[in-house]
Amino acid sequence: MSPLPIQEHPDVLRVVRAALEEDGAARDVTTLSLVDPEARVTADILTRVPCRAAGIPVGMLAFREVDPSLELVPVAEDGQDLEPGDLLLTITGSAASILSAERTALNLMQRMTGIATATRRYVRLIEGTSAVILDTRKTVPGLRVLDKYAVKAGGGTNHRMGLSDMVLIKDNHRKLWRGGDPARLDQAVFAARAKFPGVPVEVEVETFDELHSALLAKPEWIMLDNMAPDRMAEAVRIIDHRCKVEASGGINEDTVRAAAEAGVDAISIGALTHSVKAADLSLEIRA
């Protein structure tokens, strides 16, 4: 993730502007037909469900893009746990501007809060272990910065932002490795390091034979793919702190604790972003 505040990240501004354009915020014919352009109101964004807040600055950015004169007061902060009825944000100013920005702001905040809430559940399920919850690249195209920021707000840890961050040797790479033996994972690691020295290397393994081969090259990470917890524990024993260990593949809320107790360093959960349920947030204009 960029060290910039989320609302200052250039990708976030691009997403917000594209979303407002997609929604036609500049020509909201319903509001233009029915709402007095001089009307001023105060509105609250609140949650109807227990959640972990995320995306409040992004929602604020959407309102500011429509009308810089709106007064925006964050009541909660990203990473805060909320209960039904709790406020996230208060907006005061032009009623027309608030209505035109409402859906875009809510869409972004609801998705991000949903991701943070799901991440928080997984993090709590492995409390007391040494493992962390990782995200994946299974994000909505164009929304990766927002999705991964929301994972961090939920207490998770970001894995690769993109393909250039790490060499991750998976089964399809081995099948297509030019002139290489798919069983010699150590040689695949050496080839990757020769091409991109200094870039960390992770190797996906499904069997102990693959694990032993990969370890010969001392990769930074081993990914244990679709292993049962007892096999994970044996793999962790074999690795013996020679590299970091990631568990991956089909892990859910029912199985994540067992994976963590097997001794892995990290557990990647694609469901945090690829099938998250958006949080139920609402914008209410005060009477």
Side-chain angles (χ1 to χ4, degrees):
M1 286 295 300
S2 166
L4 288 172
I6 186 66
Q7 68 273 21
E8 296 179 16
H9 195 290
D11 286 350
V12 175
L13 182 58
R14 172 186 55 77
V15 167
V16 169
R17 286 176 172 171
L20 289 167
E21 182 177 358
E22 175 186 62
D23 205 34
R27 191 169 182 269
D28 175 1
V29 294
T30 308
T31 297
L32 291 170
S33 299
L34 303 177
V35 178
D36 182 349
E38 300 301 320
R40 289 177 56 84
V41 297
T42 294
D44 299 311
I45 293 181
L46 54 87
T47 177
R48 293 172 172 163
V49 293
C51 64
R52 167 67 64 93
I56 296 171
V58 179
M60 293 172 66
L61 182 58
F63 284 108
R64 285 200 182 100
E65 280 294 301
V66 168
D67 186 348
S69 73
L70 292 174
E71 180 185 349
L72 303 165
V73 180
V75 182
E77 60 184 21
D78 287 354
Q80 181 177 341
D81 291 325
L82 303 176
E83 295 299 325
D86 285 349
L87 299 184
L88 288 80
L89 177 64
T90 293
I91 313 104
T92 299
S94 164
S97 296
I98 292 171
L99 291 176
S100 295
E102 172 186 0
R103 179 42 52 199
T104 295
L106 283 176
N107 284 349
L108 294 167
M109 291 174 66
Q110 287 179 153
R111 176 174 174 81
M112 294 178 73
T113 296
I115 291 170
T117 302
T119 304
R120 178 198 62 183
R121 287 198 305 271
Y122 276 97
V123 169
R124 287 181 172 175
L125 286 169
I126 65 168
E127 283 180 348
T129 73
S130 59
V132 299
I133 298 296
L134 292 180
D135 56 23
T136 69
R137 288 169 36 249
K138 297 174 183 178
T139 55
V140 172
L143 298 186
R144 184 163 295 169
V145 169
L146 300 184
D147 284 1
K148 284 183 172 280
Y149 170 89
V151 167
K152 291 186 72 173
T157 299
N158 293 152
H159 201 6
R160 295 188 297 171
M161 281 296 293
L163 292 169
S164 63
D165 295 334
M166 172 188 282
V167 172
L168 204 168
I169 303 170
K170 305 189 78 172
D171 55 350
N172 284 332
H173 298 105
R174 302 202 302 265
K175 291 174 184 176
L176 299 171
W177 179 26
R178 297 188 302 268
D181 180 353
R184 291 295 307 274
L185 298 187
D186 57 328
Q187 296 303 313
V189 174
F190 292 139
R193 284 196 172 134
K195 185 72 173 180
F196 294 104
V199 176
V201 178
E202 180 168 6
V203 185
E204 176 190 81
V205 302
E206 297 179 1
T207 69
F208 290 151
D209 285 343
E210 291 176 348
L211 174 59
H212 284 294
S213 176
L215 286 173
L216 293 173
K218 300 179 181 179
E220 282 75 18
W221 282 86
I222 291 286
M223 177 192 292
L224 307 177
D225 187 44
N226 286 299
M227 284 193 181
D230 59 335
R231 287 173 58 79
M232 286 186 203
E234 177 61 15
V236 169
R237 187 194 66 77
I238 293 169
I239 293 167
D240 192 26
H241 305 289
R242 284 180 281 177
C243 65
K244 295 288 188 180
V245 187
E246 174 187 345
S248 182
I251 298 170
N252 56 40
E253 292 185 33
D254 295 327
T255 59
V256 68
R257 181 79 191 186
E261 290 178 343
V264 300
D265 298 286
I267 303 166
S268 55
I269 309 290
L272 297 180
T273 54
H274 72 53
S275 56
V276 69
K277 179 180 179 181
D280 187 2
L281 308 181
S282 175
L283 184 145
E284 304 290 343
I285 293 176
R286 297 183 190 178

